[in-house]
């Protein structure tokens, strides 16, 4: 979703548009007019509220105005006291009994709270913990499917929905086994091993069971057929049959019993006779086992029912099987069959959302009741389904229905708050404002203060602007103010007060996009285009978002800087390939085609030169644009996809980075390349040992730079002893012997230099960094500065970092690092500059707080950290503030910060030590 909601984009959410083609038809007639040698004017067709900077601007859809901008309502839980909420959750997790569904659900609550932070690794950690503590089959099935879609395995070519990744927490077979297992998140399952058995089906011939020569003493008649059985064995199938055959009923005296009206076929009854002797089902077809299941239900044969349930569940291998068997499972209350069918449907997400046969089991009027009868309707199930649906489309009917089902399953207060808030967000997008208001009000009553912003927005949409303003003003006066409160109130404010609210919002939370966008568009309305670009640059410099890139591209078109506009559009499409621009009227690819005629054309060789240039000046955004252009010319180039993923990771766009890695893997033409990219995917998702195994297998197939580099990178990602360091050095040297380009060799030399510094081999490290600089790996300046620092050459270290600052376009980290090599006053200047360029960097806050603490300004030190924690609850900052509180004697606050930090990382040793000390 995007906060930039201009005209027709009110209709839907960009990220989740199901049918982009539907939104393009409105602008189809205008597309051909956009650029035809030169851009033609559309001034006659512009609505009166669109601003034109000058008649020479020639934009087809005018420019956005401040009247059409609105803040974004986050569809996740956002507690006002985030730290206190995390701390409370940690305490509950600690007191909850291990391996219990209660603990599993607490992990899901943790997932819900951390979603607003946008860190995929934290979210995977929560889901793994939830799966680890799940004991019932239903929860295991849902959570294993949830883990799969978090990794987006559906995008991997050659991987089917029911494939096992090799990890027990994700394994579809392990999910169907009830009970708790003390498994690590990294434990491997055994399902890939061959456990096949040779079954001798000749054991069953006609009505005889070879090897079991027991005399039959009762016959069951079905029509003209007679099935001979052993009375006591049939009676042993259930208490009901035992009473019938040995009790006071008439059948106990009969040798021939009529079963014609029971509803079982002759083959089915013969199968029951065989089962009574062998307790085996592998002789029979699925149709016969289904008959036995029905027979077991009629006569309460619990053991037979369980056996049939398990056997049929093992046969569900695809969606077609699932759609057939789930009906029988629901009718016969076969829990495991339904679980197995659900598992296939869930692991086929998101594609199964578009299968009406699948959706009827979740969305139908009686769907939840039917699932509930077999123990498969839960908050967990519908939470998972609704989240996938919201990611696909915020405004679809399926999304609304699934959220309604979720609402029916919500029992705890936080669950009711979550679903009411999310339903409110969806209805707001659908322009159903009265219903949206009711949902937001219900969420606010359930304790979710942030939903008040939704209430205010819904009122505003119904023409009650003053009421919305009063509501937000009251909220600010009654609570400790946070950035989103002032941002929301600014939407209902005017004039100088609006600007002041936006300024306060940015001071409290510099990561909010709306204030920058509003100020930028306001400058455009004042015909200050360059100033507008500088304003939007502030947020793009540390938080890359598609809507801000679109806005900046819009501004560049105004000043006819087509090259910069084209760059931003290419980067935007790297983040979201299906993004629709200019009120959802123009596809990004179409716009690229038009603008390409206005800029210099490059062949692939020119692109490589441009990439080297941008890479060397650490222009990550520019590098992404070049790679996007290169991929347009050579879409199957896996190496370029991999480079793209590295840049996206550097820019903290983890979701897009993982998509690029998956595409790199899918486009690889050799097995050794596939193994390398799978290794990186495994490493980035926390499976270090499996990633290392992939690297080693790749090296065995072919010695390549990337395989050696991956292996070295994984091994170096821990504290290295001298022997391990020596081994990593040898691997990197082997990597450098293999063919590669300067961009990657520069990185390898940089890493090699870092290891040499750790080992105290400073001259060798300096040589590596010098060699890296010779091939334009500019980041090596930082490593060389570290060498000078180790040699006590502070001025040389400072000068080296100054060179990096002069060369680097994105240099917040360079200012931060240079602060280590100068006096306190200069360090403060560098760190303040780093914070101004990138307020998400945490080291400057911690340094300033530590200096204040050293100066015995305890309150100011805590405030410095608190200011940053309010918009970035970082583990290191929480730990440091807890240490400050402990030294001040404020043990209660120290404990709370420790608990919040441990909720983010329960194994953080320093925080655990501090927490235990504070408890004592």
């Amino acid at each position: 979703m995007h906060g930039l909601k201009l005209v027709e984009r009110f209709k839907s959410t960009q990220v989740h548009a199901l049918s982009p083609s539907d939104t393009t038809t409105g602008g189809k007639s205008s597309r051909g007019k956009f650029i035809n040698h030169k851009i033609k004017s559309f001034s006659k067709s512009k609505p009166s509220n669109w601003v034109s900077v000058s008649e020479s601007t020639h934009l087809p859809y005018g420019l956005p105005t401040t009247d059409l901008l609105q803040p974004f309502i986050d569809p996740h839980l956002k507690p006002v006291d985030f730290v206190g909420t995390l701390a409370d959750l940690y305490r509950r997790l600690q007191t909850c009994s291990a391996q219990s569904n209660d603990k599993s659900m607490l992990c899901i609550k943790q997932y819900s709270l951390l979603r607003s932070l946008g860190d995929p690794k934290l979210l995977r950690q929560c889901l793994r913990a939830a799966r680890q503590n799940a004991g019932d089959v239903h929860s295991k099935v849902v959570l294993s499917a949830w883990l799969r879609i978090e990794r987006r395995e559906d995008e991997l070519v050659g991987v089917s929905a029911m494939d096992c990744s090799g990890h027990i927490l994700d394994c579809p077979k392990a999910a169907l086994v009830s009970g708790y297992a003390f498994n690590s998140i990294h434990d491997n399952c055994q399902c890939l091993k061959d456990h096949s058995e040779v079954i001798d089906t000749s054991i069953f011939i006609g009505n005889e069971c070879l090897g079991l020569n027991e005399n039959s003493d009762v016959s069951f008649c079905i029509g003209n057929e007679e099935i001979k059985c052993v009375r006591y064995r049939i009676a042993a199938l259930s208490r009901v049959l035992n009473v019938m055959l040995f009790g006071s009923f008439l059948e106990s005296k009969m040798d021939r019993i009529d079963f014609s009206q029971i509803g079982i076929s002759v083959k089915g009854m013969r199968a029951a006779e065989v089962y009574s002797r062998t307790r085996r089902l592998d002789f029979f077809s699925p149709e016969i086992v289904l008959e036995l299941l029905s027979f077991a239900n009629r006569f309460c044969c619990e053991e037979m029912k369980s056996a049939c349930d398990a056997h049929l569940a093992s046969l569900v291998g695809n969606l077609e099987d699932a759609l057939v068997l789930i009906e029988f499972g629901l009718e016969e209350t076969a829990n495991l069959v339904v679980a197995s069918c659900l598992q296939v449907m869930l692991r086929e997400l998101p594609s199964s959302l578009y299968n009406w046969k699948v959706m009827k089991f979740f969305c139908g009027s009686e769907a939840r009741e039917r699932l509930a009868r077999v123990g498969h309707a839960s908050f967990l199930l519908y939470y998972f389904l609704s989240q996938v649906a919201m990611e696909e489309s915020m405004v679809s009917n399926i999304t609304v229905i699934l959220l309604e089902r979720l609402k029916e399953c919500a029992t705890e207060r936080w669950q009711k708050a979550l679903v009411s808030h999310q339903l409110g967000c969806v209805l707001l997008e659908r322009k159903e404002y009265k219903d949206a208001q009711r949902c937001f009000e219900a969420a606010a009553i359930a304790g979710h203060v942030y939903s008040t912003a939704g209430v205010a927005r819904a009122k505003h949409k119904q023409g009650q602007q003053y009421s919305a303003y009063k509501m937000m003003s009251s909220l600010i006066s009654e609570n400790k103010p946070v950035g989103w409160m002032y941002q929301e109130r600014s939407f209902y404010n005017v004039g100088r007060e609006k600007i002041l609210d936006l300024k306060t919002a940015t001071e409290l939370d510099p990561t909010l996009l709306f204030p920058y966008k509003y100020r930028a568009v306001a400058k455009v309305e004042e015909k200050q285009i360059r100033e507008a670009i500088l304003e939007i640059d502030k947020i793009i410099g540390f938080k890359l978002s598609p809507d801000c890139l679109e806005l900046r591209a819009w501004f560049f078109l105004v000043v006819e800087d087509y090259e910069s506009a084209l760059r931003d559009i290419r980067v935007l499409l790297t983040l979201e390939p299906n993004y629709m621009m200019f009120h959802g009227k123009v596809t990004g690819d179409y716009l690229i085609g038009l603008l390409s005629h206005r800029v210099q054309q490059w062949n692939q060789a020119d692109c490589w030169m441009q990439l080297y240039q941008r890479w060397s000046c650490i222009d990550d955004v520019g590098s992404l644009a070049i790679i996007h252009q290169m991929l347009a010319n050579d879409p199957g180039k896996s190496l370029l996809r991999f480079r793209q993923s590295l840049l996206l990771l550097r820019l903290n766009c983890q979701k897009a980075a993982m998509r690029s890695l998956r595409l790199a893997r899918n486009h690889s033409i050799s097995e050794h390349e596939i193994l390398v990219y799978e290794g990186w995917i495994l490493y980035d998702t926390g499976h270090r040992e499996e990633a290392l195994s992939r690297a080693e297998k790749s090296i065995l197939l072919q010695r390549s730079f990337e395989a050696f580099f991956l292996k070295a990178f994984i091994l170096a990602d821990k504290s290295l002893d001298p022997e391990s360091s020596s081994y990593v050095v040898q691997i990197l040297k082997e990597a450098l012997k293999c063919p590669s380009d300067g961009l990657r060799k520069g990185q390898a030399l940089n890493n090699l230099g870092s290891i040499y510094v750790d080992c105290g081999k400073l001259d060798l490290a300096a040589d590596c960094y010098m060699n890296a600089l010779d091939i334009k790996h500019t980041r090596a300046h930082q490593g060389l500065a570290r060498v000078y620092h180790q040699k006590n050459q502070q001025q040389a270290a400072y000068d080296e970092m100054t060179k990096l600052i002069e060369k680097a376009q994105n240099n917040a980290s360079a200012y931060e690092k240079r602060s280590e090599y100068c006096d306190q006053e200069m360090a403060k200047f560098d760190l303040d500059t780093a914070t101004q360029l990138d307020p998400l960097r945490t080291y400057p806050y911690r340094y300033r707080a530590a200096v204040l603490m050293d100066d015995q300004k305890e309150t100011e030190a805590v405030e410095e950290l608190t200011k940053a924690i309010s918009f970035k609850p970082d583990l290191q900052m929480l730990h440091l503030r807890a240490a400050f509180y402990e030294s001040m004697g404020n043990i209660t606050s120290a404990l709370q910060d420790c608990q919040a930090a441990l909720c983010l990382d329960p194994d953080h040793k320093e925080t655990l030590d501090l927490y235990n000390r504070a408890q004592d």
Side-chain angles (χ1 to χ4, degrees):
M1 293 179 294
H2 304 285
L4 185 62
K5 298 177 184 286
L6 306 173
V7 189
E8 295 184 12
R9 281 178 67 187
F10 282 158
K11 294 180 181 178
S12 65
T13 303
Q14 274 285 323
V15 176
H16 311 297
L18 279 177
S19 303
S21 58
D22 294 342
T23 63
T24 63
T25 54
K28 190 173 182 180
S29 61
S30 302
R31 290 185 183 177
K33 304 176 185 178
F34 183 56
I35 294 179
N36 185 8
H37 186 60
K38 77 175 187 177
I39 304 176
K40 296 181 179 180
S41 175
F42 275 67
S43 58
K44 292 181 181 179
S45 61
K46 292 177 191 175
S48 59
N49 63 338
W50 284 358
V51 64
S52 176
V53 177
S54 69
E55 288 302 313
S56 62
T57 299
H58 308 314
L59 287 172
Y61 303 112
L63 283 168
T65 69
T66 52
D67 292 339
L68 298 176
L69 292 172
Q70 58 182 311
F72 171 68
I73 301 289
D74 193 329
H76 310 308
L77 292 177
K78 286 172 71 84
V80 174
D81 181 11
F82 194 80
V83 172
T85 304
L86 288 184
D88 177 66
L89 181 59
Y90 179 76
R91 289 192 296 270
R92 292 183 63 191
L93 283 166
Q94 290 301 104
T95 56
C96 192
S97 59
Q99 300 285 311
S100 72
N101 273 353
D102 288 342
K103 189 164 188 175
S104 182
M105 188 49 67
L106 282 176
C107 294
I108 294 300
K109 180 180 181 181
Q110 184 183 24
Y111 172 90
S112 303
L113 289 169
L114 297 181
R115 285 202 74 182
S116 61
L117 300 183
D119 186 338
K121 291 184 178 179
L122 278 178
L123 298 182
R124 279 195 296 270
Q125 175 183 300
C126 296
L127 290 177
R128 285 171 180 164
R131 169 64 181 84
Q132 198 172 9
N133 288 284
D136 63 288
V137 168
H138 173 76
S139 298
K140 289 181 177 183
V141 162
V142 175
L143 290 165
S144 64
W146 205 333
L147 282 166
R148 183 178 189 274
I149 202 167
E150 281 289 323
R151 295 190 304 272
R152 299 306 308 201
E153 286 189 17
D154 58 294
E155 294 181 7
L156 293 175
V157 171
V159 177
S160 70
M162 297 305 289
D163 283 349
C164 177
S165 66
H167 305 113
I168 197 162
L169 296 188
D170 310 340
C171 176
K173 292 183 180 178
L176 294 175
V177 179
S178 182
Y180 297 102
F182 293 89
N183 301 115
S184 161
I185 61 171
H186 301 294
D187 283 356
N188 294 324
C189 66
Q190 304 298 312
C191 73
L192 298 181
K193 294 184 178 180
D194 185 14
H195 293 297
S196 59
E197 297 178 10
V198 178
I199 298 173
D200 183 9
T201 55
S202 65
I203 190 171
F204 177 52
I205 301 176
N207 193 35
E208 299 296 327
C209 193
L210 301 183
L212 294 172
N213 298 318
E214 292 185 83
N215 294 323
S216 56
D217 54 357
V218 66
S219 296
F220 292 90
C221 300
I222 300 174
N224 297 323
E225 296 286 339
E226 189 174 313
I227 300 93
K228 296 179 179 180
C229 302
V230 178
R231 184 183 292 269
Y232 85 90
R233 288 197 176 274
I234 297 295
L237 292 178
S238 76
R239 183 174 178 82
V240 172
L241 288 170
N242 184 68
V243 170
M244 182 181 77
L245 295 174
F246 287 105
S248 57
F249 288 93
L250 185 62
E251 287 83 356
S252 65
K253 309 297 182 184
M254 299 171 62
D255 295 331
R256 297 175 72 257
I257 301 173
D258 187 7
F259 258 28
S260 298
Q261 306 304 316
I262 294 301
I264 190 168
S265 70
V266 172
K267 288 183 178 179
M269 195 60 215
R270 284 177 177 162
E273 190 276 334
V274 172
Y275 177 81
S276 73
R277 300 187 186 201
T278 64
R279 293 300 195 268
R280 290 177 63 176
L281 296 168
D282 42 27
F283 316 125
F284 313 123
S285 67
E287 292 78 12
I288 295 298
V289 179
L290 283 169
E291 280 199 65
L292 290 178
L293 177 61
S294 180
F295 179 87
N297 264 333
R298 177 181 286 271
F299 291 101
C300 303
C301 307
E302 295 302 326
E303 183 185 341
M304 180 189 284
K305 179 178 179 179
S306 296
C308 292
D309 196 4
H311 181 78
L312 290 169
S314 70
L315 301 179
V316 184
N318 54 52
L319 197 56
E320 187 178 349
D321 295 338
L323 289 170
V324 172
L325 284 173
I326 195 169
E327 285 289 1
F328 289 100
L330 289 169
E331 185 178 342
E332 301 294 344
T333 63
N335 183 290
L336 212 54
V337 170
V338 175
S340 189
C341 295
L342 279 181
Q343 177 160 251
V344 173
M345 294 175 180
L346 296 177
R347 291 174 76 90
E348 289 281 359
L349 288 168
S351 63
S352 55
L353 278 178
Y354 306 99
N355 187 320
W356 68 268
K357 292 180 181 179
V358 172
M359 284 300 104
K360 78 173 185 178
F361 289 107
F362 301 120
C363 299
S365 57
E366 298 180 0
R368 193 180 70 86
E369 290 80 359
R370 293 184 74 199
L371 288 170
R373 283 196 289 270
V374 289
H376 285 289
S378 68
F379 180 86
L380 183 66
L381 171 66
Y382 281 102
Y383 185 23
F384 174 41
L385 287 167
S386 61
Q387 299 317 293
V388 177
M390 287 175 68
E391 286 182 12
E392 291 294 301
S393 171
M394 279 287 283
V395 295
S396 73
N397 290 334
I398 285 177
T399 300
V400 175
I401 294 170
L402 288 173
L403 284 169
E404 291 287 0
R405 298 290 89 81
L406 178 64
K407 190 174 183 180
E408 293 166 4
C409 295
T411 54
E412 297 184 40
R413 200 162 180 242
W414 73 268
Q415 294 174 351
K416 294 176 181 177
L418 173 68
V419 64
S420 295
H421 181 75
Q422 291 193 329
L423 194 51
C425 290
V426 167
L427 294 172
L428 193 66
E429 286 288 326
R430 288 164 62 97
K431 298 185 178 181
E432 299 174 23
Y433 301 128
K434 286 186 178 179
D435 291 336
Q437 181 180 334
R438 282 194 289 270
C439 289
F440 283 129
E441 286 171 344
I445 290 170
H448 191 228
V449 176
Y450 177 61
S451 293
T452 309
V455 178
R457 187 72 60 86
K459 285 190 172 186
H460 166 74
K461 293 295 185 182
Q462 298 172 76
Q464 304 171 38
Q465 181 155 337
Y466 183 62
S467 176
Y469 171 79
K470 285 205 309 180
M471 179 172 285
M472 293 311 301
S473 294
S474 175
L475 192 66
I476 290 171
S477 64
E478 293 170 2
N479 295 275
K480 183 179 180 181
V482 288
W484 62 261
M485 294 180 184
Y486 284 93
Q487 173 180 267
E488 189 63 28
R489 190 175 72 173
S490 74
F491 187 52
Y492 316 117
N493 224 328
V494 292
R496 185 171 177 272
E497 286 74 16
K498 177 186 282 282
I499 300 302
L500 288 175
D501 274 352
L502 290 170
K503 181 182 177 183
T504 305
T506 298
E507 289 171 353
L508 291 171
D509 185 352
T511 68
L512 294 171
L513 303 182
F514 176 74
Y516 299 95
K517 292 193 291 185
Y518 184 91
R519 288 188 290 261
V521 174
K523 291 180 188 300
V524 169
E525 291 177 337
E526 297 169 2
K527 302 184 181 180
Q528 301 175 21
I529 309 300
R530 290 295 177 187
E531 290 81 357
I533 292 172
L534 290 174
E535 179 64 32
I536 208 70
D537 279 348
K538 292 176 184 177
I539 186 71
I540 290 176
F542 66 91
K543 191 174 182 180
L544 211 56
S545 70
D547 47 355
C548 289
L549 284 167
E550 179 188 17
L551 204 56
R552 191 169 72 173
W554 216 321
F555 299 159
F556 279 129
L557 288 175
V558 175
V559 295
E560 299 183 359
D561 184 350
Y562 302 123
E563 187 171 329
S564 296
L566 191 56
R567 175 204 61 199
D568 283 351
I569 294 167
R570 288 190 181 281
V571 176
L572 187 160
L573 292 179
T574 299
L575 297 178
E576 292 185 21
N578 298 319
Y579 195 92
M580 300 290 294
M581 299 188 65
F582 299 156
H583 323 305
K585 290 178 177 292
V586 181
T587 65
D589 288 332
Y590 179 79
L591 198 54
I592 285 174
L594 295 175
L595 288 174
S596 294
H597 298 293
R598 307 286 298 189
V599 299
Q600 181 181 351
Q601 298 297 302
W602 294 330
N603 59 31
Q604 206 74 341
D606 294 330
C607 286
W608 272 109
M609 290 180 64
Q610 292 292 330
L611 181 59
Y612 268 92
Q613 181 181 342
R614 283 160 176 73
W615 196 287
S616 64
C617 66
I618 314 182
D619 177 8
D620 295 334
V621 171
S623 298
L624 274 179
I626 297 296
I627 289 177
H628 185 274
Q629 182 175 350
M630 295 170 79
L631 283 168
N633 300 330
D634 189 2
K637 194 73 171 178
S638 58
L639 182 61
L640 290 174
R641 298 281 185 190
F642 178 56
R643 296 285 162 73
Q644 191 179 64
S645 73
L646 296 176
L647 286 164
L648 288 165
L649 278 176
R650 192 182 290 170
L651 291 164
N652 199 32
C653 302
Q654 296 184 48
K655 186 176 180 180
M658 288 301 291
R659 183 177 62 242
S660 294
L661 260 181
R662 289 190 293 272
L663 287 170
R665 182 261 189 202
N666 290 345
H667 284 98
S668 296
I669 57 175
S670 62
E671 181 65 23
H672 74 90
E673 273 189 331
I674 291 174
L675 287 167
V676 168
Y677 299 134
E678 285 183 353
W680 280 113
I681 291 171
L682 286 164
Y683 175 78
D684 287 339
T685 52
H687 299 293
R688 187 175 171 277
E689 295 303 322
E690 290 86 343
L692 186 59
S693 174
R694 293 289 201 286
E696 290 170 343
K697 287 178 182 177
S698 180
I699 292 169
L700 288 175
L701 290 174
Q702 181 171 321
R703 296 166 61 85
S704 69
F705 175 90
E706 293 300 347
F708 279 116
F709 188 86
L710 172 60
K711 183 175 181 179
F713 194 91
I714 296 168
L715 291 173
D717 187 25
K718 62 177 182 178
S719 299
L720 295 176
D721 54 42
E723 184 178 349
S724 300
S725 296
S726 177
Y727 183 48
V728 174
V729 166
Q730 292 304 314
I731 296 171
L732 283 171
K733 286 182 176 179
E734 291 298 323
L736 289 165
K737 292 176 185 177
C738 299
S740 186
D741 57 73
L743 299 177
R744 293 299 282 153
K745 290 207 170 185
Q747 184 64 60
L749 286 165
N750 200 63
N751 288 16
L752 185 56
S754 178
I755 295 170
Y756 277 139
V757 172
D758 291 339
C759 297
K761 299 176 181 180
L762 300 182
D763 291 336
L764 289 174
D767 289 341
C768 288
Y769 292 129
M770 291 291 191
N771 290 334
L773 288 170
D774 286 342
I775 53 177
K776 306 298 183 184
H777 188 77
T778 308
R779 291 178 185 274
H781 282 298
Q782 183 169 318
L784 197 53
R786 187 180 171 206
V787 170
Y788 290 137
H789 173 66
Q790 295 280 351
K791 291 182 175 182
N792 293 319
Q793 299 174 17
Q794 296 298 104
Q795 186 60 46
Y798 182 87
D799 293 342
E800 204 64 37
M801 289 308 301
T802 301
K803 293 177 186 177
L804 179 57
I805 289 171
E806 291 169 351
K807 292 180 181 179
Q809 185 160 340
N810 183 9
N811 51 21
S813 63
Y815 276 107
E816 180 182 297
K817 194 66 181 175
R818 191 176 72 170
S819 69
E820 298 179 22
Y821 310 130
C822 53
D823 60 42
Q824 186 169 311
E825 193 61 33
M826 284 298 297
K828 184 179 184 304
F829 170 81
D830 278 354
L831 291 174
D832 288 347
T833 304
T835 296
Q836 186 178 357
L837 293 171
D838 184 355
L840 290 174
R841 303 190 73 85
T842 61
Y843 174 76
Y845 301 102
R846 290 185 283 128
Y847 177 88
R848 288 189 291 262
V851 170
L852 289 167
M853 203 68 180
D854 288 342
D855 293 340
Q856 297 184 342
K857 298 178 180 178
E858 297 175 337
T859 303
E860 292 90 335
V862 168
E863 286 176 355
E864 177 68 25
L865 292 174
T866 302
K867 178 174 62 177
I869 288 171
S870 66
F871 62 85
K872 184 176 173 61
D874 174 77
L875 173 67
Q876 297 290 344
M877 287 194 290
L878 286 166
H879 172 79
L880 185 59
R881 192 173 70 171
F884 286 176
Y885 278 134
E886 184 200 31
S887 69
M888 295 162 63
N890 188 345
I891 302 302
T892 301
S893 296
L895 286 171
Q896 184 181 73
D897 278 356
C898 284
Q899 289 159 351
L902 292 171
C903 195
L904 299 175
D905 182 359
D907 300 320
H908 191 249
K909 186 178 184 305
E910 291 81 3
T911 303
L912 282 170
D913 292 342
L914 176 58
Y915 184 48
N916 292 330
R917 190 167 65 247
Q919 282 183 311
D920 293 340

